Amino acid sequence: MFELHHLTAQEQLDWLRRGDVTPTELSTHYLERIERLDAGLGAFTTVTPDAALERARHVEQHVPKSAALWGLPLADKDLWQRAGVRTTFGSRLMENFVPAESDDIVAALDEAGGVSLGKSSAPEFGLSAYTESLVGSPARTPWDTAFGAGGSSGGAAVAVAAGLLPVAQGSDGGGSIRIPAAATGLVGLKPSRGRVPTGSGFLSLGGLVAAGPLARTVADAALLLDAVSGPSPWSVGPPSWDGGALLNAAVRGEGRFQLGVTTTSPWDDSYDITVSPEASAALERAVTELDALGHGLEPLRLESSPEYAPAFRTIWQAGAADIPAEGEQLELLEPLTRWLVARGRELDARGLATALQQLALFERSVIRQFASFDAILTPSLALTPRPVGWYSQDDPELNFAQQVQYTPWTSFVNVSGLPAITLPLSMTDAGLPMGVQLIGRPGREDVLLAIGAQLERRIAWQKRHPPQW
């Protein structure tokens, strides 16, 4: 039986603008699904039905239908503040915090005509690659709820994959869009540094964080990215193409490109990285499909970078240093966060400056190594989605190593400021999604969207759905 969430986000927006469905009716449809299904999924920390329906009526009466996301249901990641709505940052420390003002990314989504249904779940202060916060239920991949959805945009990914939202905005400081997209079978796009000036995020030391979309289709991802992209008074955007809206590239899906293929990562010098058979199989399928489409492919091996791991660890720890917890409040933090705060506050200015310089030099090195390619192909994740509770809660060093081993190809893209897209290429024999990642040149999201559209046409991953669908 047909239901509204079976439409793509693009199609839902068309229906809204034609008057085939109203923002109130569409929001009500999703709110009913959230109420019925989310208890076993953990997509939302807070749901705001009354405020959502009031907002939907406001959009109907006062917002022009030309608004980019007119009446489309969305959610705010629980690291973003919305005035008057509980914002926990995934932490018991902030469990009852209600902000007086909204963050810029929230205001941008409102300006585009979106309707927020609540707060999508996130790990504590967005610091981990899994979403198992103590202020809410773990975010579970809807394909098999024994397994986690990744992080930090885990709740947003679950909501889209399970049909609780048409599309969702996430943020990515080390893979936080691409990891949960891969674990839930979605398209996840981290844009170039500066593409979304309102999405700098929380704890964005080193300029690592970028806001971007999670979607079921490449075109839906482009639709949401276009809605929040653009210059602002305080930001200089990255280089771009001359084809207008990024949605144009996603719809046309044109071009033949030269691609580098690698399974090496800058973590290889410091950690034992093993590529699982499932990750290898997804990569091999991508190579086969891209070759059939006429793209050029050649192997690439990243240069050794032993300074990367200690420098990134330093930035990660320093980013936690200003979490507003002192004395007994520290006991409200989860063990990993408490360890990060302690290590971050032990750093001196010289150590932080050295780490920032090393990562800036690494950025230049990566862009130089990638210069002869239009895009670089890697697996999305080295391992299949991890079981809920898999990450160590007692040993922070082991926890960090587990995160690196799970997702070795995402953080260095943030350091480099490059765009990257995760595509849900295949399913394992156990019924879990596995994807691949394409990394682009600065400002060339259009190339990633075009290649993604070509693969989507061949594989039709948008027709796969988890049991909750």
Side-chain angles (χ1 to χ4, degrees):
M1 182 181 72
F2 168 78
E3 295 189 69
L4 289 170
H5 64 278
H6 295 166
L7 300 169
T8 67
Q10 264 195 303
E11 291 168 339
Q12 291 177 50
L13 190 56
D14 289 342
W15 278 45
L16 286 164
R17 287 176 172 154
R18 289 199 308 265
D20 295 335
V21 65
T22 68
T24 299
E25 290 168 342
L26 190 58
S27 293
T28 298
H29 172 77
Y30 281 108
L31 287 167
E32 289 173 350
R33 286 185 60 78
I34 292 167
E35 183 178 12
R36 179 160 50 90
L37 297 171
D38 190 48
L41 294 170
F44 286 84
T45 305
T46 302
V47 183
T48 55
D50 293 340
L53 295 177
E54 181 181 352
R55 166 66 179 170
R57 289 189 290 268
H58 173 83
V59 169
E60 291 169 7
Q61 297 169 14
H62 301 292
V63 177
K65 286 189 177 181
S66 58
L69 301 173
W70 190 80
L72 206 62
L74 302 169
D76 307 318
K77 187 174 178 180
D78 202 19
L79 305 181
W80 300 333
Q81 299 178 83
R82 175 175 289 277
V85 178
R86 185 180 75 127
T87 303
T88 74
F89 297 95
S91 177
R92 291 177 297 179
L93 180 69
M94 311 291 287
E95 187 169 5
N96 299 308
F97 173 65
V98 178
E101 298 182 358
S102 298
D103 283 336
D104 291 335
I105 185 64
V106 169
L109 292 168
D110 285 353
E111 185 176 352
V115 177
S116 174
L117 306 188
K119 291 299 190 76
S120 61
S121 57
E124 191 165 44
F125 294 103
L127 290 169
S128 65
Y130 55 98
T131 303
E132 299 176 23
S133 166
L134 295 180
V135 296
S137 301
R140 302 171 183 271
T141 179
W143 296 95
D144 185 337
T145 55
F147 295 86
S152 64
S153 304
V158 173
V160 177
L164 309 185
L165 287 175
V167 71
Q169 188 79 358
S171 60
D172 189 318
S176 292
I177 290 170
R178 291 158 290 154
I179 296 164
T184 59
L186 297 178
V187 176
L189 177 57
K190 184 205 85 68
S192 302
R193 186 177 290 138
R195 170 71 65 202
V196 183
T198 57
S200 59
F202 191 78
L203 302 178
S204 56
L205 184 66
L208 301 183
V209 178
L214 296 113
R216 296 195 302 272
T217 72
V218 172
D220 283 355
L223 172 74
L224 184 52
L225 182 56
D226 278 330
V228 295
S229 297
S232 75
W234 59 88
S235 175
V236 177
S240 190
W241 74 319
D242 58 3
L246 290 167
L247 182 58
N248 296 340
V251 171
R252 293 170 187 161
E254 297 173 343
R256 298 294 177 266
F257 302 101
Q258 191 64 24
L259 310 178
V261 183
T262 189
T263 57
T264 57
S265 88
W267 297 103
D268 294 347
D269 293 298
S270 304
Y271 290 87
D272 181 20
I273 306 298
T274 301
V275 183
S276 69
E278 295 87 352
S280 295
L283 185 67
E284 289 167 8
R285 183 176 185 189
V287 168
T288 299
E289 299 288 356
L290 290 165
D291 180 64
L293 285 163
H295 298 287
L297 297 117
E298 59 182 282
L300 169 70
R301 184 171 185 83
L302 283 176
E303 296 172 3
S304 177
S305 49
E307 75 288 346
Y308 179 84
F312 190 87
R313 282 171 55 99
T314 295
I315 299 302
W316 193 46
Q317 293 167 350
D322 64 348
I323 286 174
E326 305 291 342
E328 293 182 356
Q329 292 177 320
L330 292 168
E331 296 304 313
L332 294 173
L333 301 177
E334 297 170 24
L336 176 65
T337 307
R338 195 159 56 243
W339 174 76
L340 287 169
V341 169
R343 293 292 179 269
R345 292 177 181 179
E346 291 169 357
L347 292 169
D348 59 20
R350 182 176 182 179
L352 179 58
T354 298
L356 287 168
Q357 182 183 46
Q358 288 173 331
L359 293 183
L361 293 172
F362 175 83
E363 174 185 350
R364 292 190 176 193
S365 171
V366 167
I367 293 174
R368 171 182 56 77
Q369 293 176 65
F370 290 178
S372 61
F373 299 101
D374 295 298
I376 305 299
L377 176 68
T378 76
S380 291
L381 302 170
L383 306 173
T384 57
R386 298 291 82 198
V388 172
W390 181 75
Y391 292 93
S392 173
Q393 298 305 305
D394 303 320
D395 185 342
E397 289 285 358
L398 174 58
N399 184 297
F400 185 79
Q402 289 173 315
Q403 294 189 61
V404 170
Q405 289 158 351
Y406 183 43
T407 177
W409 300 290
T410 55
S411 66
F412 82 88
V413 184
N414 299 77
V415 170
S416 305
L418 299 173
I421 193 169
T422 286
L423 302 169
L425 208 73
S426 61
M427 301 292 290
T428 70
D429 291 341
L432 293 171
M434 290 298 291
V436 295
Q437 174 181 241
L438 285 166
I439 307 165
R441 289 174 171 166
R444 295 309 303 269
E445 287 89 345
D446 61 293
V447 171
L448 304 182
L449 291 165
I451 298 171
Q454 293 171 15
L455 288 170
E456 186 174 271
R457 289 170 191 160
R458 290 180 68 88
I459 296 170
W461 54 64
Q462 72 276 22
K463 296 182 179 179
R464 304 186 200 124
H465 303 295
Q468 300 84 354
W469 194 254

